Amino acid sequence: MEDKDYLLFIDNVKKKFGIDLALYKEAQMKRRLSSLREKRGYKDFQSYIDAVSRDVELKNEFLDRITINVSEFYRNPGRWQYLDQTIIPKLLEVNKRPRFWSAACSTGEEPYTLALILSKYLRMDQIDILATDIDENVMGKAQHGVYPDRVLKDVPKDLLHKYFTKENTDYRIANEIKSRVTYKKHNLLAEPFNGPFDLIICRNVMIYFTDDAKDQLYNKFSQALRPGGYFFVGSTEQIFQPQKYQLEPIAPFFYRKI
Ligand SMILES: C[S@@+](CC[C@H](N)C(=O)[O-])C[C@H]1O[C@@H](n2cnc3c(N)ncnc32)[C@H](O)[C@@H]1O
């Protein structure tokens, strides 16, 4: 009974919100959503989805629970250092105006980290980063560009001074960095990828998807990279059999399109 209730719920969520929960790992997602449903006092998923469809606050809370939005600047700093010192110089050797995509960018820390790094190599007007996420609310926060200091702890001090202004206990990112990032709503599991890109960063979202969904996505990411382009993944997201997707591992969590 309980499983049928959840399967029907998955159908309804797909119809109403265009999000296919069947492509997210089931046990984890079901646990997250069951605890929210119970907290709000609904005895089953059917009555919960009815309420979510009627009430905007419940809907936002529900969408928030599906999309885990935690992020920070320079998340896993050693990997960003590698990007800065090795990958970006290599990319710029072959192409003076590379195309960058930060996929599942959440509240903007990731594309802004990339923009901060690129600011050391390029003029501001040469930097152009596409940043996408399924969740418009988080991208609203990214465009607002104000962050608590805990997500900024790994920003190099010179860049912090140069591109952030303190506002009470928060920090506002400078417009010259902000304006280099274009935000667009995009569902990785349902929409085409608009390549070719020289660097795609997609971190800390694949862990939520089923193996089948990952397999399809790695193919799509690979097709969206130009040969010699790079794919930067999260620090628990090594690709099993990257050759299958015409990707070769070049350093931990970095792959190059063959
Ligand atoms: C944990 S955050 C990762 C943020 C950033 N990439 C990082 O590593 O710090 C995961 C993001 O994936 C987004 N997301 C979840 N499902 C998605 C989908 N199907 N398509 C695009 N984005 C999705 C969520 O909205 C959330 O902002």
Side-chain angles (χ1 to χ4, degrees):
M1 157 66 199
E2 207 201 313
D3 270 342
K4 200 168 155 214
D5 181 41
Y6 187 67
L7 289 178
L8 257 173
F9 173 74
I10 288 185
D11 265 5
N12 276 316
V13 171
K14 193 169 176 188
K15 282 191 203 117
K16 287 180 207 291
F17 304 111
I19 298 175
D20 189 353
L21 292 181
L23 299 175
Y24 290 72
K25 283 182 194 153
E26 179 171 323
Q28 199 182 30
M29 184 58 80
K30 200 167 160 187
R31 205 179 323 115
R32 292 173 64 77
L33 292 175
S34 299
S35 73
L36 182 63
R37 164 173 73 73
E38 282 159 18
K39 187 167 138 198
R40 292 286 160 254
Y42 296 93
K43 67 179 190 323
D44 54 25
F45 278 110
Q46 188 55 49
S47 51
Y48 179 58
I49 190 71
D50 288 345
V52 164
S53 311
R54 284 192 309 265
D55 182 310
V56 179
E57 266 178 42
L58 279 181
K59 178 183 130 186
N60 286 340
E61 182 185 57
F62 162 69
L63 291 176
D64 243 25
R65 182 59 65 106
I66 298 181
T67 60
I68 299 123
N69 300 129
V70 195
S71 191
E72 56 187 77
F73 285 80
Y74 289 82
R75 189 172 187 177
N76 311 113
R79 298 297 77 212
W80 287 98
Q81 199 179 14
Y82 184 79
L83 180 85
D84 182 344
Q85 291 170 3
T86 308
I87 303 280
I88 299 296
K90 280 200 176 126
L91 273 182
L92 292 172
E93 261 172 38
V94 285
N95 184 352
K96 294 282 166 252
R97 293 292 297 270
R99 282 190 77 207
F100 300 101
W101 178 22
S102 163
C105 65
S106 188
T107 31
E109 291 88 334
E110 182 176 282
Y112 291 145
T113 299
L114 177 61
L116 290 170
I117 288 173
L118 291 173
S119 73
K120 302 194 290 183
Y121 294 92
L122 295 168
R123 288 201 320 266
M124 282 296 172
D125 64 349
Q126 294 174 317
I127 301 174
D128 193 4
I129 300 165
L130 171 68
T132 62
D133 200 282
I134 196 174
D135 183 345
E136 280 172 306
N137 289 336
V138 286
M139 286 189 294
K141 289 187 190 156
Q143 278 159 325
H144 186 53
V146 176
Y147 296 95
D149 54 5
R150 76 187 139 76
V151 305
L152 293 158
K153 66 180 186 341
D154 289 315
V155 178
K157 291 289 163 278
D158 55 330
L159 294 174
L160 189 69
H161 286 129
K162 193 163 178 193
Y163 293 118
F164 291 84
T165 333
K166 198 154 197 276
E167 285 185 1
N168 303 318
T169 57
D170 293 339
Y171 288 79
R172 179 182 291 277
I173 195 159
N175 270 334
E176 48 184 329
I177 291 288
K178 207 161 75 172
S179 62
R180 303 330 304 166
V181 181
T182 306
Y183 289 97
K184 221 173 121 197
K185 184 177 176 187
H186 180 267
N187 182 349
L188 288 167
L189 297 169
E191 291 177 75
F193 291 9
N194 179 23
F197 293 97
D198 297 273
L199 170 67
I200 298 176
I201 306 177
C202 183
R203 308 182 72 217
N204 305 304
V205 65
M206 298 294 268
I207 32 165
Y208 302 115
F209 299 150
T210 62
D211 287 343
D212 281 352
K214 278 187 213 169
D215 185 54
Q216 289 188 23
L217 283 176
Y218 289 139
N219 270 316
K220 287 175 76 179
F221 278 123
S222 175
Q223 280 159 25
L225 279 169
R226 70 158 180 76
Y230 295 92
F231 187 37
F232 179 15
V233 304
S235 289
T236 54
E237 299 176 317
Q238 295 97 321
I239 305 177
F240 184 60
Q241 291 187 317
Q243 304 79 356
K244 199 174 144 196
Y245 312 103
Q246 284 85 52
L247 295 170
E248 57 175 338
I250 53 153
F253 314 109
F254 285 96
Y255 298 86
R256 184 170 44 212
K257 170 76 179 283
I258 295 165

